Amino acid sequence: MAREILVHIKAGEKRVVILNNGKIDDFFLEVDNQKTILGNIYKGRVESILPSINGAFVNIGQEKNGFLYLTDAVNPLFEEELSGPRKFFNNLFGAKKEENPESPAPAAPPPEKKHKEQPPPALKQGQEILVQVVKEPFANKGARLTTHVTLAGRFVVYMPYDKQLGISKKIEDQGERQRLRDVLNEFRFIRQGGFIIRTVSQQQKKDDLIRDAKFLVKIWHGIFRTGEKKTAPALVFKEFDLLWKVVRDFLRDDVTQFVIDSNEDYLKVCDFVQKLVGREMLPKIKYYKDVIPLFDARNITKELEKIYDTRVYLKSGASIVIEQTEGMTVVDVNSGKFKVKASPEDAAFMVNLEAAPEIARQLRLRDLGGIIVIDFIDMVKEGHKRRVIEALEEGLSHDYAKTEVNRISALGLVEMTRARAGKTIESISFQTCPYCDGRGRVKIK
């Protein structure tokens, strides 16, 4: 399976396409005038607490206050005296305490309570807290916040305020899981915090995982010190840009080349690769300098335009219609020009089976999230329904966003969810029509 990463840079915009055997498998867009705040860490100030909705509004210096669920406000900083933050800092980074040999041994610590049994911390209005953005502002809502800070690396995720150690559920081989548990037990360079081993860590060397974890701890060290110095509301840590994330998450051994058409960003990517991956990957990074634009030369520009179309045509002549609404995304499968000598049941099954993986791909390319309802062509046989769901789930297995799929209902509908953290590709590229106010039609005079 040949994979390529192509990056097109123009004034105020970065576009990244990942090709799988020449077909667009993933697409990312970053526009300078619509910079994301997803993943940013802020020192915020609690403006109001509303127990009736189990939440608090936190001023992080944005246009609208962020929303923090009280159950998400479990943070060791709350338990520290405001006059002594250095005590928590020393515990976190393993600073040694002076020991008195004549003092009695400390009493055994009380057993830890499970997370669900802990009452939400008593937030106070005006209190300053460290929060991370887990969902972008959407419509009239502010950003969704959490105090459970996470820093994602190439192989591990570091959680400075959570003690758990975990391994991705997608790693199913028990022998490999045990090996990774043994590696986790060697993360002794920090006393507090937790780690999750990412799926891509399979078969990776122990030294690579430890180096990645130490890199994240070093970043957190700087974040914490910056947070101590600043007064809320203030940005403490800005999430890395698109190119950094692409190198971190997608530059693997199966990638044949990483092509970029900006010399300045080419040098940045080479620097990222040396820091995150290693010098052995540098030969795959190539600077494109031909006269013909990179995406035009690879016939990608026209394909990307189709991402914004409501109707997607399949090779068989069938089609998929994708419509976004305020509350959900609706996907309709139509037989269209599909013709085959088969029973209506078998014909419906064939169209649905072809549409299922393409639907998964389109959701990924357009970065659609929230509630999604898919109206497949009606089928009667349970075996056919099961195979269509399996094809959909297989297509979704390549998605980095978390998804959940329900069975086909009696009405032939599939209800599913896809985690929505940022803006959709369409919302970044388009604005509401000033004439029809987004309706797509105008009143006849």
Side-chain angles (χ1 to χ4, degrees), residues 194-260:
F195 291 92
I196 294 178
I197 299 290
R198 302 182 69 181
T199 307
V200 294
S201 298
Q202 295 183 82
Q203 310 304 324
Q204 292 295 328
K205 296 178 181 178
K206 177 180 69 175
D207 292 344
D208 293 337
L209 273 63
I210 292 177
R211 183 178 68 241
D212 195 39
K214 287 184 175 180
F215 175 72
L216 296 176
V217 170
K218 183 178 179 180
I219 292 176
W220 170 245
H221 194 151
I223 292 172
F224 194 93
R225 288 188 180 276
T226 302
E228 281 190 314
K229 298 174 183 177
K230 293 202 172 186
T231 302
L235 175 65
V236 175
F237 171 75
K238 182 173 178 56
E239 178 64 300
F240 296 113
D241 69 3
L242 177 60
L243 294 181
W244 175 282
K245 294 177 185 176
V246 170
V247 170
R248 180 191 68 192
D249 296 334
F250 296 99
L251 186 56
R252 310 290 176 211
D253 292 335
D254 61 346
V255 173
T256 58
Q257 61 178 352
F258 187 122
V259 185
I260 184 167

Side-chain angles (χ1 to χ4, degrees), residues 12-230:
E13 184 178 283
K14 293 185 179 74
R15 291 188 170 202
V16 178
V17 164
I18 298 177
L19 299 180
N20 204 339
N21 290 328
K23 185 177 181 179
I24 300 177
D25 191 56
D26 228 327
F27 173 56
F28 302 96
L29 174 64
E30 184 177 85
V31 181
D32 287 350
N33 62 3
Q34 295 191 39
K35 283 289 187 180
T36 177
I37 64 171
L38 185 65
N40 287 1
I41 299 174
Y42 294 88
K43 190 170 188 179
R45 183 174 59 246
V46 179
E47 296 292 342
S48 59
I49 302 171
L50 302 175
S52 60
I53 59 173
N54 187 36
F57 289 97
V58 181
N59 182 359
I60 58 173
Q62 296 292 308
E63 182 180 352
K64 296 180 180 178
N65 291 336
F67 181 78
L68 173 69
Y69 278 113
L70 296 181
T71 49
D72 273 348
V74 180
N75 186 317
L77 280 176
F78 294 137
E79 301 174 3
E80 294 295 317
E81 295 181 4
L82 295 178
S83 59
R86 181 59 53 188
K87 176 182 175 183
F88 172 74
F89 187 86
N90 290 338
N91 289 339
L92 185 64
F93 292 100
K96 294 182 179 179
K97 297 180 181 180
E98 296 182 2
E99 296 181 359
N100 184 352
E102 299 181 357
S103 61
E112 294 183 4
K113 295 182 180 180
K114 294 183 179 179
H115 177 70
K116 292 183 179 179
E117 296 176 357
Q118 293 179 343
L123 285 177
K124 298 179 181 178
Q125 190 170 351
Q127 184 177 359
E128 295 186 351
I129 57 174
L130 207 62
V131 292
Q132 186 173 34
V133 177
V134 293
K135 184 178 286 188
E136 291 263 30
F138 179 72
N140 295 321
K141 300 178 181 178
R144 175 82 62 79
L145 308 174
T146 183
T147 59
H148 292 273
V149 176
T150 59
L151 297 174
R154 185 169 169 80
F155 302 118
V156 303
V157 176
Y158 177 47
M159 305 170 293
Y161 292 141
D162 291 271
K163 297 180 180 180
Q164 70 185 71
L165 299 175
I167 299 172
S168 170
K169 294 180 180 179
K170 293 183 179 180
I171 301 177
E172 298 179 350
D173 182 82
Q174 292 303 314
E176 180 64 8
R177 292 184 68 86
Q178 184 56 52
R179 184 187 75 87
L180 293 172
R181 288 192 193 96
D182 295 339
V183 173
L184 276 174
N185 291 332
E186 297 192 30
F187 285 12
R188 302 190 185 98
F189 43 84
I190 188 165
R191 293 184 180 179
Q192 193 157 346
F195 291 92
I196 294 178
I197 299 290
R198 302 182 69 181
T199 307
V200 294
S201 298
Q202 295 183 82
Q203 310 304 324
Q204 292 295 328
K205 296 178 181 178
K206 177 180 69 175
D207 292 344
D208 293 337
L209 273 63
I210 292 177
R211 183 178 68 241
D212 195 39
K214 287 184 175 180
F215 175 72
L216 296 176
V217 170
K218 183 178 179 180
I219 292 176
W220 170 245
H221 194 151
I223 292 172
F224 194 93
R225 288 188 180 276
T226 302
E228 281 190 314
K229 298 174 183 177
K230 293 202 172 186

